[in-house]
């Protein structure tokens, strides 16, 4: 096991191609070709779209509108019992978990190489580390991008989520669904506290400090060539920039690395923010600045 940035050791996980009994929406089994279930502002979907853009692979699009909680509709829970996007269906085989989907696609579409064989184990650890930060990203995103302090899921949606879908992944009761339910129960109860913001922001700062050092010696995050690690963290930097994370001041090399990637359509097209949402984000930023409650202020990045 190798240590990820910040010294966090993470185990390698199973690939997640769903078992037949996990899938209740049976029509999905008849889909031919590559189908992606995704959403514009889902960071994991953004990572997968950027990856597919870089590979030049075509796919059929199915939007799951997270702002309407469509991910918790029985139909979608019948496809992904976790109620999360992205999902890839390849000729009726249902794949969940963005990093597992990418590992699967890398074998199917090896060019251009984004997971070099000689660094595959290290990259797997780094992707696990990135995935482990996902709920921290969600915490910062909810509060500083969407200006939300409570849960977006009503009691009815939560009940639908709790009772919907097979509740299993690979035939076994799924602990990840319970983790999601716990996240939203906690959010409904406690909201997003300043302490939760500081905790999440500190994890990102430590990771960015490590990457900043690495970028002094090479062009991309883990070496001289672009890899999936760049794609994954490009998306995180994009989201945290929207949240007001002060990259320019704290991590100037990351800011420059991001700007270089962002010039490429394969990247920026994957993370486009719809205009009405941009206006809403700007208004949230203004209000938070007026009340001294920006991400930088709450996290103590002053
Ligand atoms: N580990 C999962 C995380 C997926 C995930 O959390 N997706 C988010 C969007 S980025 C989602 O669907 N959220 C729906 C919700 O929170 O209800 C992956 O990498 O695919």
């Amino acid at each position: 096991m190798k240590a990820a940035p910040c010294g966090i050791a993470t185990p390698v996980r199973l690939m997640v191609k769903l078992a037949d009994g996990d899938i209740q929406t049976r029509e999905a089994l008849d889909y031919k070709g590559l189908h992606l279930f995704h959403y514009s502002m889902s960071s994991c979907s953004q990572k997968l779209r950027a990856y597919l853009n870089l590979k030049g692979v075509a796919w059929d699009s199915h939007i799951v509108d997270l702002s309407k909680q469509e991910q918790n509709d029985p139909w979608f829970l019948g496809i992904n019992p976790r109620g999360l996007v992205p999902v890839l269906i390849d000729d009726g085989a249902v794949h969940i978990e963005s990093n597992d989907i990418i590992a699967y696609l890398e074998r199917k579409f090896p060019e251009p190489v984004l997971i070099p064989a000689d660094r595959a184990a290290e990259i797997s650890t780094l992707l696990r580390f990135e995935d482990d930060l996902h709920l921290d990203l969600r915490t910062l995103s909810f509060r500083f991008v969407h200006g939300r302090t409570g849960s977006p899921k009503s009691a009815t949606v939560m009940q639908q989520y709790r009772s919907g879908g097979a509740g299993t992944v690979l035939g076994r009761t799924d602990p990840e669904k319970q983790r999601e339910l716990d996240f939203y129960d906690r959010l409904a109860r406690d909201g997003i506290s300043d302490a939760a913001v500081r905790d999440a922001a500190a994890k990102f700062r430590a990771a960015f400090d490590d990457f900043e050092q690495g970028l002094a010696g090479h062009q991309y995050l883990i070496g001289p060539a672009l890899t999936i690690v760049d794609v994954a963290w490009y998306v995180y930097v994009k989201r945290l920039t929207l949240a007001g994370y002060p990259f320019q001041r704290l991590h100037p090399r990351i800011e420059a690395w991001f700007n270089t990637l962002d010039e490429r359509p394969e990247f920026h097209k994957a993370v486009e923010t719809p205009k009405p949402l941009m206006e809403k984000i700007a208004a949230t930023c203004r209000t938070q600045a007026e009340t001294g409650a920006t991400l930088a202020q709450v996290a103590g990045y002053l």
Side-chain angles (χ1 to χ4, degrees):
M1 200 184 295
K2 202 168 157 40
C6 324
I8 297 168
T10 50
V12 175
R13 267 190 317 190
L14 285 176
M15 301 274 294
V16 189
K17 169 176 168 265
L18 292 184
D20 190 73
D22 303 333
I23 304 160
Q24 293 181 335
T25 300
R26 305 301 291 177
E27 68 204 64
L29 305 178
D30 297 326
Y31 287 14
K32 294 287 169 242
L34 278 187
H35 294 256
L36 188 62
F37 289 74
H38 65 120
Y39 183 59
S40 56
M41 287 300 288
S42 142
S43 60
C44 304
S45 303
Q46 293 176 336
K47 173 177 58 181
L48 190 49
R49 289 195 301 263
Y51 175 87
L52 287 162
N53 290 345
L54 287 163
K55 293 281 174 180
V57 170
W59 40 277
D60 286 333
S61 170
H62 302 256
I63 306 287
V64 180
D65 191 336
L66 301 190
S67 74
K68 297 185 181 148
Q69 303 302 319
E70 285 178 359
Q71 71 276 26
N72 295 142
D73 285 352
W75 188 87
F76 184 70
L77 285 170
I79 292 181
N80 184 357
R82 285 188 182 158
L84 300 172
V85 290
V87 173
L88 179 86
I89 301 186
D90 184 9
D91 278 341
V94 181
H95 299 262
I96 64 169
E97 289 298 321
S98 57
N99 291 330
D100 293 343
I101 294 172
I102 284 168
Y104 167 76
L105 289 170
E106 187 73 9
R107 285 197 300 278
K108 191 171 167 114
F109 304 107
E111 296 296 329
V113 175
L114 290 169
I115 307 181
D118 60 342
R119 309 218 41 195
E122 178 192 355
I123 287 177
S124 163
T125 304
L126 286 166
L127 291 180
R128 175 64 198 267
F129 172 67
E130 173 250 2
D131 187 47
D132 285 344
L133 289 175
H134 187 75
L135 291 186
D136 296 296
L137 186 80
R138 199 187 283 169
T139 295
L140 298 180
S141 195
F142 275 12
R143 179 153 161 189
F144 298 101
V145 177
H146 299 287
R148 197 177 280 144
T149 49
S151 174
K153 295 190 199 292
S154 66
T156 312
V157 167
M158 281 302 279
Q159 183 45 36
Q160 202 168 276
Y161 184 23
R162 232 176 273 283
S163 59
T168 60
V169 163
L170 302 178
R172 286 191 289 272
T173 303
D174 182 24
E176 293 295 326
K177 175 171 175 179
Q178 192 53 51
R179 188 165 164 256
E180 288 293 323
L181 286 165
D182 291 346
F183 176 89
Y184 282 106
D185 282 339
R186 209 169 38 246
L187 199 56
R189 197 182 56 235
D190 306 334
I192 300 174
S193 65
D194 287 359
V197 168
R198 279 194 289 274
D199 182 52
K203 292 184 202 169
F204 282 109
R205 181 150 187 189
F208 289 132
D209 281 343
D210 279 353
F211 284 136
E212 180 77 8
Q213 260 187 357
L215 285 170
H218 37 75
Q219 188 184 349
Y220 294 103
L221 290 184
I222 63 164
L226 180 77
T227 70
I228 185 61
V229 178
D230 297 284
V231 180
W233 282 89
Y234 164 83
V235 167
Y236 273 14
V237 171
K238 169 74 187 185
R239 181 61 55 91
L240 290 169
T241 300
L242 288 178
Y245 189 106
F247 284 102
Q248 177 63 55
R249 186 156 56 80
L250 298 183
H251 318 284
R253 289 190 202 104
I254 291 183
E255 167 101 353
W257 158 89
F258 174 86
N259 287 337
T260 306
L261 295 182
D262 199 47
E263 280 168 14
R264 300 179 57 175
E266 298 96 324
F267 283 87
H268 73 245
K269 278 191 190 319
V271 298
E272 267 161 3
T273 312
K275 195 157 174 268
L277 182 58
M278 273 314 288
E279 285 160 10
K280 218 170 139 237
I281 295 170
T284 301
C285 274
R286 275 196 301 278
T287 311
Q288 291 178 340
E290 280 158 20
T291 54
T294 62
L295 169 56
Q297 286 163 322
V298 177
Y301 291 160
L302 299 170

